[in-house]
């Protein structure tokens, strides 16, 4: 299951049923879990840990050093979970010492062609990165987010769960959970991701509560502090609104409004 032209460092730990294609290079301190398939011409540098049942296609580059001038060669890592699809020419860089040391990608994500995950990024589960979408350093992406083609997230920005980032949208602020962003001169909120929520089993009452919270935050003309106070009341009867409120309270950059 390992092509004879593949180069495997002696320190790499490869599970018995991993397949590795022609001319791929697996470096030192790489761990690859059971059932993972690696195509031809893939480069994986360590320290990198990859879980079970991942599919990594040709020309992907994982575990390369961070593109950050502050990095001084300290030991940092990439950690990837299970059942991810990583397509052609995807790049995932290791973390930095100042950024916590780890770039993480969770489980069941799709990273389509030419996606870039920069140093110290934290990606949740069930995220779709469409072609050419990219994260700058230290970005955080919540579960079930969709990144459309050619979209990008600025460094240190957070995107909440179930958000939708539209095609070509450039995100320069924190995006609350469930919010849909679209592009003008820069990304701005355009409603909630109601279609995505329906597909994931959210009933009408849950979606209605999220819509009320969105209107309070974006359409009522309230200062952020006053909008937050109203969200506190809505959160008493909605776990989803409570999740939005918690996101606001932990936002470190300006909020997308």
């Amino acid at each position: 299951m390992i092509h004879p032209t593949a180069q495997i460092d002696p320190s790499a730990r490869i599970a018995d049923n991993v397949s590795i294609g022609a001319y791929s290079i697996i470096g030192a301190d790489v761990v690859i879990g059971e059932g993972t398939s690696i195509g031809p011409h893939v480069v994986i540098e360590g320290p990198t840990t990859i879980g079970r049942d991942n599919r990594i296609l040709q020309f992907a580059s994982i575990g390369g050093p961070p593109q950050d001038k502050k990095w001084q060669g300290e030991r940092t890592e990439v950690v990837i979970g299970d059942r991810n699809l990583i397509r052609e020419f995807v790049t995932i860089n290791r973390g930095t010492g100042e950024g916590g040391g780890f770039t993480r990608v969770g489980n069941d994500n799709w990273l389509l062609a030419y996606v870039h995950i920069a140093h110290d990024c934290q990606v949740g589960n069930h995220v779709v990165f469409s072609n050419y979408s990219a994260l700058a350093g230290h970005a955080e992406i919540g579960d079930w987010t969709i990144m459309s083609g050619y979209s990008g997230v600025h460094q240190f920005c957070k995107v909440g769960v179930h958000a939708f980032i539209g095609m070509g949208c450039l995100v320069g602020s924190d995006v609350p959970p469930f919010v849909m962003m679209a592009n003008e001169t820069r990304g701005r909120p355009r409603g909630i991701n109601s279609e995505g929520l329906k597909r994931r089993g959210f009933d009408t009452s849950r979606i209605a509560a999220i819509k009320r919270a969105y209107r309070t935050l974006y359409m009522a003309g309230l200062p952020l502090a006053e909008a937050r106070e109203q969200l506190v009341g809505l959160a008493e009867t909605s776990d989803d609104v409570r999740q939005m409120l918690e996101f606001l309270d932990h936002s470190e950059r300006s909020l997308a409004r």
Side-chain angles (χ1 to χ4, degrees), residues 10 17 24 42 44 55 60 64 103 109 116 131 135 144 151 164 177 182 187 196 200 211 227:
N17 59 346
S24 287
V42 172
I44 303 177
R55 290 181 58 208
T103 301
N109 299 295
H116 176 63
N131 301 63
L135 304 181
W144 297 101
S151 61
F164 184 97
R200 293 166 204 144
K211 285 182 177 179

Side-chain angles (χ1 to χ4, degrees), residues 210-223:
I210 294 168
K211 285 182 177 179
R212 285 194 295 272
Y214 180 89
R215 287 195 293 268
T216 298
L217 190 58
Y218 290 105
M219 302 175 67
L222 298 172

Side-chain angles (χ1 to χ4, degrees), residues 158-178:
K158 298 178 182 178
V159 177
V161 297
H162 296 281
F164 184 97
I165 310 301
M167 180 177 177
C169 185
L170 303 179
V171 174
S173 305
D174 289 348
V175 179
F178 314 112

Side-chain angles (χ1 to χ4, degrees), residues 14-29:
I14 313 296
D16 290 339
N17 59 346
V18 169
S19 63
I20 300 176
Y23 301 105
S24 287
I25 299 173
I26 311 299
D29 295 321

Side-chain angles (χ1 to χ4, degrees), residues 138-149:
H138 310 274
E140 297 183 18
I141 307 298
D143 297 349
W144 297 101
T145 292
I146 292 178
M147 297 282 300
S148 299

Side-chain angles (χ1 to χ4, degrees), residues 46-250:
T48 292
T49 300
I50 299 173
R52 301 168 59 100
D53 300 317
N54 295 283
R55 290 181 58 208
I56 303 172
L57 274 66
Q58 58 267 25
F59 303 107
S61 178
I62 298 173
Q67 300 176 86
D68 189 323
K69 291 183 177 180
K70 297 187 297 297
W71 184 68
Q72 299 297 318
E74 66 271 19
R75 179 184 174 91
T76 57
E77 302 183 36
V78 166
V79 178
I80 297 174
D82 304 329
R83 300 176 303 278
N84 295 287
L85 172 62
I86 300 174
R87 295 292 305 240
E88 301 88 344
F89 298 100
V90 168
T91 53
I92 305 175
N93 292 160
R94 299 199 306 274
T96 63
E98 292 186 3
F102 291 89
T103 301
R104 298 182 189 274
V105 176
N107 305 320
D108 302 294
N109 299 295
W110 275 31
L111 283 66
L112 303 186
Y114 292 95
V115 164
H116 176 63
I117 308 293
H119 60 88
D120 303 296
C121 287
Q122 309 295 310
V123 176
N125 308 312
H126 304 283
V127 177
V128 174
F129 288 86
S130 299
N131 301 63
Y132 295 96
S133 55
L135 304 181
H138 310 274
E140 297 183 18
I141 307 298
D143 297 349
W144 297 101
T145 292
I146 292 178
M147 297 282 300
S148 299
Y150 297 93
S151 61
V153 177
H154 193 272
Q155 62 184 0
F156 293 100
C157 286
K158 298 178 182 178
V159 177
V161 297
H162 296 281
F164 184 97
I165 310 301
M167 180 177 177
C169 185
L170 303 179
V171 174
S173 305
D174 289 348
V175 179
F178 314 112
V179 168
M180 183 166 58
M181 299 284 286
N183 205 39
E184 284 185 346
T185 55
R186 63 183 179 87
R188 56 167 293 187
R190 290 286 192 171
I192 70 166
N193 183 19
S194 55
E195 187 60 36
L197 299 179
K198 291 175 185 176
R199 293 176 182 178
R200 293 166 204 144
F202 282 57
D203 60 31
T204 54
S205 63
R206 290 182 69 184
I207 293 175
I210 294 168
K211 285 182 177 179
R212 285 194 295 272
Y214 180 89
R215 287 195 293 268
T216 298
L217 190 58
Y218 290 105
M219 302 175 67
L222 298 172
L224 181 58
E226 292 183 27
R228 184 198 174 282
E229 289 304 312
Q230 292 200 19
L231 290 182
V232 170
L234 295 174
E236 293 179 358
T237 56
S238 171
D239 290 339
D240 298 314
V241 177
R242 188 177 305 113
Q243 198 167 20
M244 294 178 73
L245 186 62
E246 291 174 353
F247 183 93
L248 264 61
D249 290 342
H250 289 91

